[in-house]
């Protein structure tokens, strides 16, 4: 597959009050044509700066950025402006023109495109339909809800037929339901129009929902990169684990243990374990098999199993009752099945 | 009616021709110097905005020169500016008195003020909009025209209203040293000959003029706020 966007040793340094700050530190990776690529990190990790190196709203201090094979940091300004028209961008704060109607906002990038008045009208109408806002053409942005504003922004970003759409925290100012509908729209844009999408976010939920691959950024560096399923199933870095934990309720068990809650009080025949499904095997009837094979009582406290792409992923926290031999046997069996087991509390050893 | 007015404002009625000429002169001064200052103010306001350190075409030298120049002219009291500019006015207009002689100092007095008004109107344009426009591949001139100016119409109208009102004040001062207009009328008759009705009538006319400008300005600003 050919790379749509290619970062090569990109560094970006800011100078403020004589202090140097390295926002992006030697980043190299490719984003493939047609994929939805996520960049996740806490604020200040450098993800916004990195994504702005794609349309050169920020110029890298050193390193190269290739778009579709063209090295863009060397382009003269006029060529760069042409290139920018093919890279749409949407923002957390929508950035709509308050003095223009929805229609005029969407038509804004079409000025000077050489299209006739009729062609422009046709295009705007098509985009309005795509984002399901046909009825709001004459409204002003101030009369729209957050979700509607972002839809207008998406339509505007698509007006000049871009190859790439950059989304800078585009759902961070929206409620969960609206977030979902915007993410669905982005998915549709990716599938129906074949546009490569780069999503920046600090929410793993967003990555899980629409991304094919993800890069995790910390202190200006990409610390982990891979397919979203693999990252979720088997996060390598501490920060990635934090993001993944954040999306499920399973980590709540540690708080309960800390608080010595009644729920997790175990006797000598009980343990609390956490199972992690690492491979695409959740469809097996694992719990009932364990129960039958090893004669265990399994009481599920938390469960979190979700779909990433087409594959289920997640885990369970459960209290298990059985003899030490039965439990050990079950743990071995789980290892065989490539399910991660973490014994959180063991009544057999405590007290 | 005429009798009533003759009783109420005898000195004005006796000088109706001078009175109306004064109103016309004031309007002329405000109109000419206001229009010139409007164009110059937009030019300078935009230039300062885009050349400031984080602007879209930052240029330290241009920014600092303009900024200091505006500060300089704003710190000179207008009455002193009037006196300082006499030679320059003569050079440009051929005279330093009358409506023609007033326009040069009025432009010098008004433009820096309006430039600052423009600057603050443009500063209210969300930097995110500029970034969005840049990401769409717009050039700087397009950004100035289609984003900065377009998005701040309401602010520009409000700034213009304030400037025009203060300009009327300046014309009265210019009138006092020979420019004609309502200021001259009030000083010459109302003050120096102690004709109070002349002073009061002048005040009334000025209040009406200011109110008209304010109401019109508010209306246009409101229509351009969405």
């Amino acid at each position: 597959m050919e790379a749509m966007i290619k970062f090569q040793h990109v560094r970006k340094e800011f100078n403020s009050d004589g202090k140097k700050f390295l926002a992006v530190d030697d980043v190299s990776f490719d984003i493939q044509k047609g994929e939805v690529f996520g960049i996740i990190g806490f604020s200040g990790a450098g993800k916004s700066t990195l994504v702005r190196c794609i349309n050169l709203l920020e110029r890298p201090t050193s390193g190269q950025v290739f778009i579709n094979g063209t090295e863009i940091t060397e382009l003269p300004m006029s060529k760069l402006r042409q290139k920018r028209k093919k890279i749409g961008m949407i923002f957390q704060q929508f950035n709509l023109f308050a003095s223009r109607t929805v229609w005029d906002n969407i038509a804004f990038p079409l000025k000077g495109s050489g299209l006739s008045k009729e062609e422009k009208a046709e295009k705007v109408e098509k985009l309005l339909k795509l984002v399901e806002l046909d009825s709001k053409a004459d409204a002003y942005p101030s009369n729209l809800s957050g979700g509607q504003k972002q839809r207008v922004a998406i339509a505007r970003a698509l007006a000049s037929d871009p190859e790439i759409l950059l989304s800078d925290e585009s759902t961070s100012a929206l409620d969960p339901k609206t977030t979902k509908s915007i993410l669905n729209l982005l998915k549709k844009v990716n599938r129906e129009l074949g546009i490569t999408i780069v999503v920046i976010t600090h929410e793993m939920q967003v990555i899980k929902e629409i991304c094919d691959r993800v890069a995790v950024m910390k202190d200006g560096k990409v610390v982990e990169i891979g397919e979203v399923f693999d990252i979720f199933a088997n996060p390598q870095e501490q920060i990635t684990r934090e993001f993944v934990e954040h999306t499920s309720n399973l980590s709540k068990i540690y708080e309960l243990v800390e608080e010595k809650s009644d729920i997790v009080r175990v006797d000598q025949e009980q343990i609390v374990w956490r199972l992690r499904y690492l491979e695409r095997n959740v469809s097996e009837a694992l719990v009932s098999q364990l129960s039958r094979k090893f004669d265990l009582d399994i009481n599920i406290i938390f469960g979190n199993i979700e779909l990433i792409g087409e594959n289920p992923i997640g885990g369970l926290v459960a209290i298990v009752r059985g003899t030490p031999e039965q439990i050990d046997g079950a743990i071995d069996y789980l290892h065989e099945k490539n399910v991660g087991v973490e014994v959180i509390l063991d009544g057999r050893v405590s007290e | 009616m005429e009798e009533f007015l003759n009783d109420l404002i005898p000195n004005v009625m006796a000088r109706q021709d001078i009175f109306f000429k004064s109103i016309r002169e004031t309007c002329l001064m405000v109109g000419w110097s206001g229009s010139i200052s409007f164009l110059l103010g937009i030019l300078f306001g935009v230039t300062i905005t885009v050349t400031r350190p984080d602007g879209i075409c930052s240029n330290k030298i241009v920014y600092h020169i303009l900024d200091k120049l505006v500060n300089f002219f704003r710190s000179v009291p207008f009455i002193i500016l009037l006196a300082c500019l006499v030679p320059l006015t003569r050079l440009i207009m051929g005279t330093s008195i009358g409506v023609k002689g007033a326009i040069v100092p009025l432009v010098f007095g008004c433009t820096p003020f309006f430039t600052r008004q423009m600057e603050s109107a443009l500063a209210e344009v969300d930097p995110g909009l500029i970034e969005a426009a840049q990401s769409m591949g717009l050039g700087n001139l397009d950004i100035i025209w289609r984003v900065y100016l377009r998005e701040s119409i309401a602010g520009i109208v409000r700034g213009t209203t304030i400037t025009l009102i203060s300009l009327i004040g300046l014309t009265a001062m210019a009138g006092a040293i020979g420019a004609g207009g309502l200021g001259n009328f009030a000083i010459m008759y109302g003050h120096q000959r102690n004709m109070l009705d002349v002073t009061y009538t002048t005040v009334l006319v000025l209040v009406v003029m200011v109110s008209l400008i304010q109401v019109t300005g508010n209306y246009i600003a409101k229509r351009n706020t969405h």
Side-chain angles (χ1 to χ4, degrees), chain A residues 262-279:
Chain A
D262 281 345
I263 305 170
V264 292
R265 182 162 295 164
V266 290
D267 62 34
Q268 283 180 355
E269 291 223 304
Q270 285 178 321
I271 66 161
V272 176
W273 71 18
R274 175 173 175 179
L275 306 184
R276 292 171 206 266
Y277 299 137
L278 303 180
E279 280 190 8

Side-chain angles (χ1 to χ4, degrees), chain A residues 2-11 27-33 35 50-56 58-60 62-75 80 83-84 86-87 163-164 166 196 198:
Chain A
E2 82 187 275
M4 190 65 169
I5 302 163
K6 188 180 187 71
F7 295 107
Q8 235 168 30
H9 303 292
V10 172
R11 281 177 83 252
V27 167
S28 303
F29 68 87
D30 293 357
I31 295 173
Q32 307 302 333
K33 194 172 181 170
E35 79 176 328
L50 181 65
V51 90
R52 278 166 176 71
C53 289
I54 297 173
N55 56 10
L56 294 195
E58 296 288 358
R59 237 165 224 286
S62 66
Q64 282 109 41
V65 182
F66 295 88
I67 306 289
N68 236 342
T70 314
E71 216 288 65
I72 55 162
T73 56
E74 281 172 359
L75 290 179
L80 174 62
K83 202 84 191 167
R84 277 179 179 167
K86 293 292 162 200
I87 307 174
E163 302 171 305
I164 301 171
L166 308 176
T196 308
V198 183

Side-chain angles (χ1 to χ4, degrees), chain B:
Chain B
M1 182 70 181
E2 205 174 329
E3 236 166 80
F4 173 68
L5 286 177
N6 278 334
D7 275 354
L8 194 69
I9 45 171
N11 294 311
V12 179
M13 292 308 279
R15 293 168 186 77
Q16 277 190 47
D17 51 335
I18 306 178
F19 176 60
F20 286 116
K21 190 169 149 251
S22 298
I23 294 180
R24 225 188 69 222
E25 281 171 351
T26 292
C27 290
L28 272 174
M29 284 190 282
V30 170
W32 276 109
S33 51
S35 307
I36 297 169
S37 300
F38 180 77
L39 294 177
L40 289 176
I42 285 186
L43 180 70
F44 294 149
V46 166
T47 309
I48 288 181
T49 304
V50 298
T51 56
R52 64 171 64 247
D54 54 352
I56 53 173
C57 39
S58 67
N59 184 324
K60 263 191 187 152
I61 299 171
V62 175
Y63 172 73
H64 282 294
I65 289 178
L66 262 182
D67 191 58
K68 299 294 170 299
L69 220 59
V70 168
N71 278 349
F72 173 77
F73 279 102
R74 284 207 61 192
S75 57
V76 182
F78 185 63
I79 200 93
I80 297 170
L81 193 66
L82 276 170
C84 291
L85 287 173
V86 167
L88 183 71
T89 308
R90 277 213 190 101
L91 196 74
I92 297 173
M93 306 298 284
T95 174
S96 65
I97 54 162
V99 170
K100 263 176 102 179
I103 288 174
V104 172
L106 283 173
V107 166
F108 271 82
C110 181
T111 304
F113 182 74
F114 186 57
T115 300
R116 288 285 181 237
Q117 296 286 337
M118 274 298 296
E119 232 190 299
S120 68
L122 294 174
E124 276 181 28
V125 175
D126 182 353
L129 296 187
I130 307 302
E131 195 181 30
Q134 281 178 324
S135 81
M136 289 178 222
L138 263 72
N140 288 341
L141 277 179
D142 270 332
I143 291 177
I144 289 169
W145 191 250
R146 298 180 64 201
V147 185
Y148 267 126
L149 292 177
R150 171 68 199 252
E151 291 301 316
S152 53
I153 289 178
I156 294 173
V157 170
R158 278 191 287 269
T160 307
T161 309
I162 295 172
T163 307
L164 277 181
I165 290 169
S166 83
L167 181 59
I168 291 179
L170 297 188
T171 63
M173 240 186 279
I177 69 158
L182 283 166
N184 183 41
F185 184 64
I187 295 287
M188 202 139 85
Y189 301 99
H191 181 64
Q192 282 163 2
R193 297 205 204 160
N194 204 22
M195 298 171 176
L196 270 181
D197 62 324
V198 169
T199 312
Y200 292 154
T201 310
T202 307
V203 168
L204 188 72
V205 172
L206 288 174
V207 167
V208 170
M209 281 170 88
V210 167
S211 305
L212 273 177
I213 291 173
Q214 188 72 57
V215 167
T216 316
N218 287 351
Y219 175 74
I220 301 175
K222 204 177 159 202
R223 281 208 48 181
N224 281 285
T225 308
H226 299 289

Side-chain angles (χ1 to χ4, degrees), chain A residues 1-110:
Chain A
M1 236 200 296
E2 82 187 275
M4 190 65 169
I5 302 163
K6 188 180 187 71
F7 295 107
Q8 235 168 30
H9 303 292
V10 172
R11 281 177 83 252
K12 174 70 187 181
E13 211 172 73
F14 287 108
N15 268 315
S16 64
D17 306 327
K19 267 191 208 158
K20 281 184 181 170
F21 171 69
L22 199 54
V24 176
D25 186 2
D26 193 21
V27 167
S28 303
F29 68 87
D30 293 357
I31 295 173
Q32 307 302 333
K33 194 172 181 170
E35 79 176 328
V36 182
F37 191 93
I39 300 175
I40 191 168
F42 293 113
S43 53
K47 50 195 195 308
S48 276
T49 310
L50 181 65
V51 90
R52 278 166 176 71
C53 289
I54 297 173
N55 56 10
L56 294 195
L57 286 180
E58 296 288 358
R59 237 165 224 286
T61 313
S62 66
Q64 282 109 41
V65 182
F66 295 88
I67 306 289
N68 236 342
T70 314
E71 216 288 65
I72 55 162
T73 56
E74 281 172 359
L75 290 179
M77 201 56 204
S78 59
K79 286 256 172 61
L80 174 62
R81 283 208 295 268
Q82 289 307 313
K83 202 84 191 167
R84 277 179 179 167
K85 289 186 201 295
K86 293 292 162 200
I87 307 174
M89 189 165 186
I90 55 175
F91 306 84
Q92 178 173 3
Q93 295 307 329
F94 322 120
N95 292 342
L96 297 180
F97 301 112
S99 72
R100 296 171 193 264
T101 62
V102 166
W103 179 284
D104 290 337
N105 263 285
I106 299 175
F108 186 91
L110 294 176

